[in-house]
Amino acid sequence: MNTQLSDVKAIFSYRKFWAQRFGTAPFLPMSRTEMDELGWDSCDIILVSGDAYIDHPSFGMALVGRLLESQGFRVGIIAQPDWQSADAFRELGKPNLFFGVTAGNMDSMINRYTADKKPRSDDAYTPGGEPNKRPDRAVTVYAQRCREAYPGVGVMIGSIEASLRRIAHYDYWSDKVRPSVLINSKADILLYGNAERALVELAHRVAGGEKLSEIHDVRGTAFIVPHGWRPNDEWEEMDSTTVDVPGRVDAHPDPYAMSPADNAPKDAEPAPVVQTIKFMNVHERVAIRRAQRAKTVVRIPAFEAVAYDPVLYAHASRTLHLESNPGNARALVQLHGDRDVWLTPPPIPLTTEEMDFVFGQPYARNPHPSYGKAHIPAWEMIRYSVNIMRGCFGGCTFCSITEHEGRIIQSRSEESILKEIEEIRDKTDGFTGHISDLGGPTANMYRLSCKDPKIEKSCRKLSCVYPDICENLNTDHSSLIQLYRKARAIPGVKKINIQSGLRYDLAVKSPEYVKELVTHHVGGYLKIAPEHTEEGPLSKMMKPGMGAYDKFKEMFERFSKQAGKEQYLIPYFIAAHPGTTDEDMLNLALWLKKNNFRLDQVQTFMPTPMAMATTMWHTRRNPLKKLARSSEKVDVVRDGYRRKLHKAFLRYHHPDNWQILYDALLNMGRRDLIGYGKQHLIAPTPPGSGRDRPGQRFNVARTAHHPTQRFQDAPPAPRGKPAAKTGGKPAARGKPSGRR
């Protein structure tokens, strides 16, 4: 059963009444009092989340809640509960069907800790930005508390935290391989990826009397079964070592091969009848193979094996990524002890009509009233933005978007997007005519897809744009250009910025798009992410070389000049990514200085569950290639000193980094980069030491108008007076030097 969301018309009668009276849909209840106001004696489904409840489609809890509500289910919300006991999980009573548990929009460990494993001081998804409002590994903790609150009630887990932990995975924070989140959470079922279709089907089937723990035929789900379990006798098991290469070459029958009867003597006994070979056409063979794949499960190495064998871990990771295309992916199974964790094939992407239905629900577009006027940073960031698409075919190894949302782009219609902009204009408090973003995981993949659906369904490439843009990829940006123009024409809309990350190697394929973007939708700065300049780390990231960046930069500057605007690119780079040597980071630092970039905020690589780069980090193997004991070893920056050094190279200009860079350059035999000239990276003496270059002092005040907020050298001190000393501390903010 694959329920078509757009066909469902069931809407609660109170919704229409509330909308007529108050101009908006009611919030989903968070208390017994709110349930009483709605006339409910119980909830059918209760959603538990680590985020504050904000009724906006950019927040998964609201999107899922409104979707289930549209199906006629009574949905309650338990947001950021006190997990120290089960009391908070009894707030709304016992759900009639099941609990739906998520950690929120972010993985709870990434939300709570930095790349250096230090606790964060704030939480963007909590009122007031207050930290520590969710536990570590929130999905597991919440699911256990739901079980404790109401034993026997079904528990479903989902969201990005559960999705990226659906099999055995390396956990950066404990530095070990952990089992599937299903094992520790004791949940009945896990939904991974974009799970709307699966969620609707499961909810209706449970309402029809089926047990959540016994539903094993829905795509995009994972569950625990006895070892060796099969849906029926038609299923076959295949060992993952037979699919460790993308695709398979079948031996074709030789049409010129002669049967033994052709050479038999005239007076010989009659030869046995030889069955005539029927040569199947391509479509018949594809159909047969597809039918076989649909009844095949691929067994990847067991948890106990991958936990101690890096090569097997890398192999399992590679296999999972190769089996990620909904058009040809097979089911996967992994042994944990004496039980199997079974994964059905990935969910079929939503159609445009279904996307419109999901995003077209009557969201209140505000935080729940119980938060009062508390500042919620994540809400402030997206309140005037519109999500126009999902998915990403970039396949960057350090990013989890592709693993979670898939490579196939799911786009909303123009009508749906323009309607949401009008709703923001008419219903969102504080709107001044400025739409902060029209985007998604990537700014410019709207309606981009494979030119041939048949090729798309059979493709097993991990990226559509690496090492080069696939010849079968449609890179026409005309739909996005048209959308921008129509959005700008809406009365009351004064400005639309694009803040989602831009895929510039795609953008340069459409100069018209770059011109449209630069002329109308850049608010002074535009974020792009080269991530690095050197081939070594770029090949491990699956990112393009700097040639595409240079081409885009030329277009950006040319069109900005034509528009009469002074605008800047903000490049993002990653320090300490697997495959990065000290020399790579030095070369990146030299590139930054040559191009006059002085970065302020930089990021150090953080290994996140299921990402290919995380596999490199943990195993020191490259899962982008076929694996063997003798396969390529990846340079991994794990120790604290090298991680600090790589980050320091990105901020070569900062006084605090002088000593570590000075020592590193000497150790690397690059004394030639120490001096006062343009060709030098750092000075021979510490900034602010009183031994600086005569007539100069180092001012670490930020440059207010430059996109990278680089640090500037202050003007020379007046002749005859000593330069002001900073003592190594930031000097007072002064006027920018105007240097570009």
Side-chain angles (χ1 to χ4, degrees):
M1 173 182 175
N2 283 324
T3 305
Q4 294 295 313
L5 306 184
S6 54
D7 292 338
V8 180
K9 302 298 183 182
I11 304 294
F12 282 159
S13 59
Y14 78 84
R15 178 192 279 182
K16 182 177 180 180
F17 164 77
W18 190 289
Q20 290 175 343
R21 183 175 178 182
F22 299 105
T24 183
F27 286 86
L28 301 174
M30 291 180 62
S31 67
R32 283 282 191 172
T33 301
E34 291 173 76
M35 289 173 60
D36 292 340
E37 291 175 354
L38 295 172
W40 296 3
D41 58 352
S42 63
C43 293
D44 296 319
I45 299 167
I46 295 177
L47 302 179
V48 182
S49 174
D51 292 343
Y53 173 31
I54 301 172
D55 198 50
H56 186 284
S58 291
F59 295 86
M61 175 169 47
L63 187 144
V64 167
R66 291 299 188 188
L67 173 61
L68 289 170
E69 181 192 48
S70 75
Q71 310 297 292
F73 297 107
R74 294 174 294 182
V75 183
I77 299 290
I78 298 178
Q80 297 188 315
D82 179 0
W83 68 91
Q84 303 299 331
S85 74
D87 294 343
F89 296 80
R90 300 188 181 102
E91 172 67 24
L92 303 182
K94 181 180 179 180
N96 300 322
L97 301 180
F98 55 81
F99 281 104
V101 175
T102 79
N105 270 25
M106 286 182 66
D107 183 285
S108 61
M109 300 303 289
I110 297 174
N111 179 282
R112 285 173 54 81
Y113 299 98
T114 69
D116 296 323
K117 301 183 181 180
K118 296 178 180 178
R120 297 188 189 274
S121 59
D122 58 5
D123 183 343
Y125 293 87
T126 300
E130 186 178 351
N132 303 318
K133 284 296 184 178
R134 73 188 78 212
D136 290 352
R137 302 181 179 88
V139 165
T140 295
V141 176
Y142 290 160
Q144 292 173 346
R145 287 289 181 257
C146 289
R147 287 280 194 221
E148 183 180 343
Y150 295 106
V153 174
V155 176
M156 172 193 296
I157 59 176
S159 78
I160 193 166
E161 178 167 311
S163 181
L164 299 183
R165 289 171 165 81
R166 56 189 183 263
I167 64 170
H169 55 279
Y170 172 73
D171 182 82
Y172 170 62
W173 299 272
S174 59
D175 193 24
K176 66 179 183 181
V177 176
R178 297 176 67 90
S180 165
V181 68
L182 277 166
I183 300 296
N184 292 332
S185 69
K186 298 178 174 60
D188 293 297
I189 196 167
L190 180 155
L191 273 61
Y192 70 88
N194 297 313
E196 287 90 351
R197 187 180 285 109
L199 177 64
V200 168
E201 180 172 346
L202 287 166
H204 282 296
R205 289 174 65 172
V206 174
E210 296 185 59
K211 291 185 177 180
L212 193 63
S213 59
E214 296 178 357
I215 301 177
H216 297 151
D217 59 348
V218 178
R219 294 184 69 114
T221 62
F223 42 84
I224 299 174
V225 291
H227 178 50
W229 175 89
R230 299 285 178 275
N232 54 56
D233 294 338
E234 297 179 4
W235 280 75
E236 297 180 355
E237 182 177 301
M238 175 183 294
D239 188 89
S240 60
T241 57
T242 64
V243 292
D244 196 25
V245 291
R248 181 180 61 183
V249 178
D250 290 331
H252 297 285
D254 182 359
Y256 301 104
M258 301 177 65
S259 70
D262 294 332
N263 294 324
K266 300 293 184 181
D267 56 352
E269 293 289 331
V273 177
V274 178
Q275 185 176 0
T276 303
I277 296 176
K278 178 185 178 182
F279 293 96
M280 295 180 290
N281 61 40
V282 174
H283 298 293
E284 290 174 323
R285 289 200 319 208
V286 169
I288 291 174
R289 184 176 298 177
R290 187 168 295 163
Q292 291 173 338
R293 294 178 72 89
K295 298 292 184 180
T296 300
V297 59
V298 178
R299 179 170 293 278
I300 59 178
F303 160 65
E304 291 77 9
V306 301
Y308 299 102
D309 190 325
V311 174
L312 288 181
Y313 182 98
H315 162 76
S317 173
R318 175 174 168 81
T319 302
L320 181 139
H321 285 83
L322 290 174
E323 298 292 336
S324 62
N325 184 345
N328 60 39
R330 289 165 282 205
L332 299 176
V333 64
Q334 185 178 48
L335 183 65
H336 286 64
D338 59 353
R339 297 179 295 172
D340 281 336
V341 171
W342 183 288
L343 280 67
T344 60
I348 302 296
L350 298 185
T351 64
T352 295
E353 184 182 20
E354 290 170 339
M355 284 281 286
D356 289 352
F357 182 83
V358 169
F359 282 88
Q361 298 305 306
Y363 300 95
R365 307 191 69 85
N366 277 293
H368 191 272
S370 64
Y371 302 128
K373 296 183 179 180
H375 172 65
I376 305 178
W379 156 243
E380 298 296 334
M381 184 181 299
I382 58 86
R383 65 188 303 180
Y384 305 124
S385 69
V386 180
N387 193 325
I388 65 175
M389 48 76 68
R390 281 182 182 166
C392 179
F393 48 70
C396 299
T397 62
F398 53 82
C399 179
S400 299
I401 292 175
T402 300
E403 284 83 354
H404 182 57
E405 296 192 0
R407 292 202 318 264
I408 298 175
I409 303 302
Q410 303 161 70
S411 302
R412 297 170 61 185
S413 69
E414 275 187 1
E415 293 76 13
S416 173
I417 295 167
L418 298 177
K419 180 181 178 182
E420 183 171 349
I421 294 174
E422 292 173 344
E423 289 183 351
I424 292 174
R425 177 197 62 191
D426 299 338
K427 299 180 181 180
T428 304
D429 294 339
F431 181 68
T432 60
H434 182 193
I435 297 295
S436 59
D437 191 24
L438 290 182
T442 305
N444 59 320
M445 288 187 182
Y446 180 70
R447 292 193 177 178
L448 300 190
S449 62
C450 189
K451 296 176 181 177
D452 188 338
K454 293 181 180 178
I455 294 176
E456 182 179 73
K457 289 181 179 179
S458 61
C459 181
R460 290 166 66 81
K461 291 181 63 177
L462 299 177
S463 171
C464 299
V465 291
Y466 182 84
D468 297 302
I469 295 176
C470 179
E471 61 181 7
N472 294 313
L473 180 65
N474 168 31
T475 59
D476 181 8
H477 285 58
S478 59
S479 295
L480 191 53
I481 295 171
Q482 179 175 286
L483 175 64
Y484 287 174
R485 291 172 178 171
K486 289 185 177 181
R488 292 201 308 271
I490 293 177
V493 174
K494 301 176 183 177
K495 178 72 175 179
I496 297 176
N497 281 350
I498 303 302
Q499 295 188 3
S500 296
L502 185 78
R503 190 78 194 201
Y504 57 85
D505 52 341
L506 285 175
V508 296
K509 296 291 184 180
S510 176
E512 183 184 5
Y513 170 74
V514 178
K515 183 176 182 179
E516 187 80 13
L517 176 75
V518 170
T519 304
H520 300 287
H521 301 287
V522 176
Y525 311 140
L526 180 67
K527 297 183 297 184
I528 59 173
E531 307 298 4
H532 217 285
T533 58
E534 305 305 296
E535 176 58 27
L538 288 173
S539 68
K540 303 302 184 294
M541 299 175 180
M542 289 209 300
K543 291 285 290 186
M546 294 302 288
Y549 169 86
D550 293 336
K551 187 174 182 179
F552 180 79
K553 181 174 181 291
E554 183 277 323
M555 287 185 177
F556 180 88
E557 293 176 346
R558 172 159 48 90
F559 292 134
S560 292
K561 185 176 181 180
Q562 289 179 9
K565 296 184 175 183
E566 187 175 9
Q567 301 181 143
Y568 304 94
L569 290 177
I570 304 178
Y572 282 81
F573 298 94
I574 296 179
H577 189 279
T580 307
T581 65
D582 297 350
E583 289 74 16
D584 289 331
M585 291 306 301
L586 171 57
N587 290 335
L588 173 53
L590 293 173
W591 183 92
L592 290 171
K593 183 169 186 183
K594 178 182 177 182
N595 288 274
N596 211 22
F597 281 118
R598 295 190 171 190
L599 307 182
D600 183 10
Q601 296 183 352
V602 298
Q603 56 182 338
T604 306
F605 172 71
M606 179 189 292
T608 56
M610 200 175 287
M612 296 286 264
T614 300
T615 298
M616 299 179 198
W617 165 277
H618 170 58
T619 68
R620 293 183 167 86
R621 302 303 198 283
N622 183 4
L624 301 178
K625 301 178 181 179
K626 187 175 181 180
L627 291 154
R629 301 282 170 188
S630 59
S631 58
E632 174 191 5
K633 299 293 176 35
V634 178
D635 185 13
V636 177
V637 187
R638 293 180 67 103
D639 68 85
Y641 171 80
R642 286 191 70 202
R643 284 173 68 82
K644 184 178 180 180
L645 173 61
H646 283 207
K647 189 174 182 179
F649 273 124
L650 289 179
R651 303 187 68 202
Y652 63 90
H653 50 274
H654 197 280
D656 292 346
N657 295 327
W658 180 87
Q659 188 65 59
I660 190 172
L661 292 177
Y662 183 85
D663 294 341
L665 291 176
L666 292 181
N667 292 333
M668 297 168 71
R670 297 305 306 270
R671 185 183 292 271
D672 60 302
L673 296 177
I674 302 174
Y676 296 111
K678 292 183 178 181
Q679 73 276 20
H680 298 124
L681 185 65
I682 61 172
T685 55
S689 65
R691 295 171 293 163
D692 300 38
R693 185 179 179 183
Q696 288 213 350
R697 61 185 175 86
F698 205 85
N699 179 2
V700 295
R702 292 179 178 178
T703 303
H705 67 284
H706 194 277
T708 54
Q709 297 190 359
R710 51 188 184 169
F711 295 85
Q712 297 286 354
D713 291 333
R719 182 169 298 180
K721 295 183 179 181
K725 297 181 181 180
T726 65
K729 296 181 181 180
R733 184 183 298 274
K735 294 182 179 180
S737 68
R739 244 186 343 133
R740 292 288 178 267

